[in-house]
Amino acid sequence: RGRRSVRTFDGTPLREEDAGRILEFAGKVENPYELPIQWKLLDRKSDKLSVPVIEGTDTYIAGKMRREAHAEEAFGYSFEKVVLFAGSLGVGTTWIAGTMDRKAFERAMHLSENEVMPCVSPLGYTAKKMSLRETMMRKSVKADSRLNDEKLFFDGAFDKPLAAENAGNLQLALEMVRLAPSAVNGQPWRVVR
């Protein structure tokens, strides 16, 4: 519930122990499709990376995997676990897929033709104040709001909304789905119980 996308960092380099713990955790994360992912920490300067929407950190985590059925779902599942783990260490993150120099990241990851790298995340310590750019981005995508239950969750069919108080033992899981990050806060998922 407390996690938010961070695009403004305080400039403190990622501590070596945090970097090591995140990379070690990522290497052990499993996904429902049992597809392997290769993780790597990248440095903005030495790897010649560009992400105009990020300020105050040079460290990124990226992963690559074979291009095959369910690769994106497997990656997203694992990536969210890595992001949540980083957050538990006090490290800020945000999913980035479109607002980066993708070719530079793919070069740094040595991505081959049969591999995919769906997204990356900066890693760093959240600045006390968001940059003007981040404030405007969050406002434009309504990052601090989410759709209500009745627009996301349904009981038996798409014409019967499911209110949270009627979800029983699924209530917490559905709330986590409702709060989950999505590209430009689009919340493209719908759930039918």
Side-chain angles (χ1 to χ4, degrees):
R1 286 188 174 98
R3 187 205 169 271
R4 76 165 177 88
S5 296
V6 176
R7 293 173 185 84
T8 310
F9 299 86
D10 71 3
T12 304
L14 186 66
R15 290 188 289 273
E16 207 171 295
E17 61 269 21
D18 288 339
R21 289 179 72 191
I22 292 167
L23 207 50
E24 179 183 357
F25 178 86
K28 294 177 181 177
V29 169
E30 297 177 354
N31 60 70
Y33 300 98
E34 300 179 2
L35 299 176
I37 301 170
Q38 295 175 33
W39 300 95
K40 186 176 178 182
L41 295 183
L42 302 173
D43 179 78
R44 182 183 62 82
K45 293 174 185 166
S46 61
D47 289 314
K48 299 179 176 118
L49 306 173
S50 173
V51 184
V53 298
I54 301 301
E55 295 180 27
T57 188
D58 291 331
T59 306
Y60 291 83
I61 187 163
K64 68 178 183 176
M65 60 193 305
R66 280 177 38 97
R67 185 183 309 273
E68 58 186 287
H70 302 292
E72 287 85 0
E73 294 96 323
F75 188 90
Y77 181 92
S78 297
F79 198 72
E80 181 65 2
K81 283 191 162 201
V82 171
V83 161
L84 292 173
F85 178 76
S88 78
L89 301 176
V91 175
T93 61
T94 189
W95 291 51
I96 297 174
T99 55
M100 66 177 171
D101 179 350
R102 181 166 283 282
K103 289 190 187 308
F105 275 90
E106 289 175 350
R107 269 193 307 276
M109 286 298 290
H110 306 290
L111 201 72
S112 70
E113 214 173 276
N114 67 339
E115 292 176 321
V116 62
M117 181 197 71
C119 63
V120 303
S121 176
L123 298 173
Y125 306 104
T126 307
K128 287 184 177 21
K129 187 177 177 187
M130 284 187 266
S131 69
L132 178 61
R133 179 183 296 143
E134 181 173 7
T135 302
M136 298 305 290
M137 279 185 75
R138 292 184 67 78
K139 190 174 275 194
S140 72
V141 299
K142 299 177 183 162
D144 295 318
S145 67
R146 294 290 192 268
L147 295 174
N148 62 33
D149 294 345
E150 290 79 15
K151 292 188 178 179
L152 296 172
F153 311 128
F154 303 88
D155 197 13
F158 283 112
D159 62 349
K160 188 176 176 193
L162 175 64
E165 62 269 12
N166 299 328
N169 63 358
L170 294 176
Q171 187 172 357
L172 179 61
L174 293 177
E175 177 65 3
M176 295 302 104
V177 169
R178 192 181 75 79
L179 294 174
S182 58
V184 295
N185 198 28
Q187 295 181 268
W189 42 77
R190 301 297 179 265
V191 177
V192 177
R193 178 178 68 168

